[in-house]
Each structure stands twice: as C-alpha cells, then as structure tokens.
Amino acid sequence: MNKNTVLGWATFIMVLMGLLLIGLGAFRYSEVSGWGFVAVGVGFLANAWVFNALKGRV
C-alpha cells in the first residue's frame, strides 16, 4: 500500500465519520449539543478535503 492509497482510505473514512457526525447532530440530538456534533462533522469533511488534495503531492 503506497502513500496515495493510504491518503485515499483516510479520506474515505473521514468523509464517512463527518457525515455520521452531521447526521447525529441533525437527527439524534436536537439540543445545543447537536450544533457541536455538526461543527465537528464539518471539520472532518474539511480535513478529508485536505487529505484528498494531498494525494499525489506527498
């Protein structure tokens, strides 16, 4: 497994976790804690975007 494959898997896992956290914040927790889940989920998606941009450059 080379660097690009590792970054690809990391991107995929982070996208899944980001969507899961956004889903938890939107549907499971309707209080203020839901906003925290959504914020962390958006952060995971931003990190996944950076990992995807790094493929082929590292």
Side-chain angles (χ1 to χ4, degrees):
M1 206 180 332
N2 60 9
K3 302 179 274 193
N4 290 332
T5 306
V6 170
L7 282 172
W9 277 106
T11 302
F12 178 69
I13 291 168
M14 290 191 82
V15 165
L16 282 180
M17 283 301 299
L19 293 176
L20 176 75
L21 287 169
I22 290 172
L24 275 174
F27 298 113
R28 176 76 170 101
Y29 299 104
S30 60
E31 298 89 23
V32 177
S33 61
W35 289 100
F37 275 97
V38 171
V40 171
V42 170
F44 265 87
L45 292 180
N47 282 337
W49 182 31
V50 170
F51 279 1
N52 191 30
L54 286 175
K55 281 195 311 188
R57 290 185 171 87
V58 176

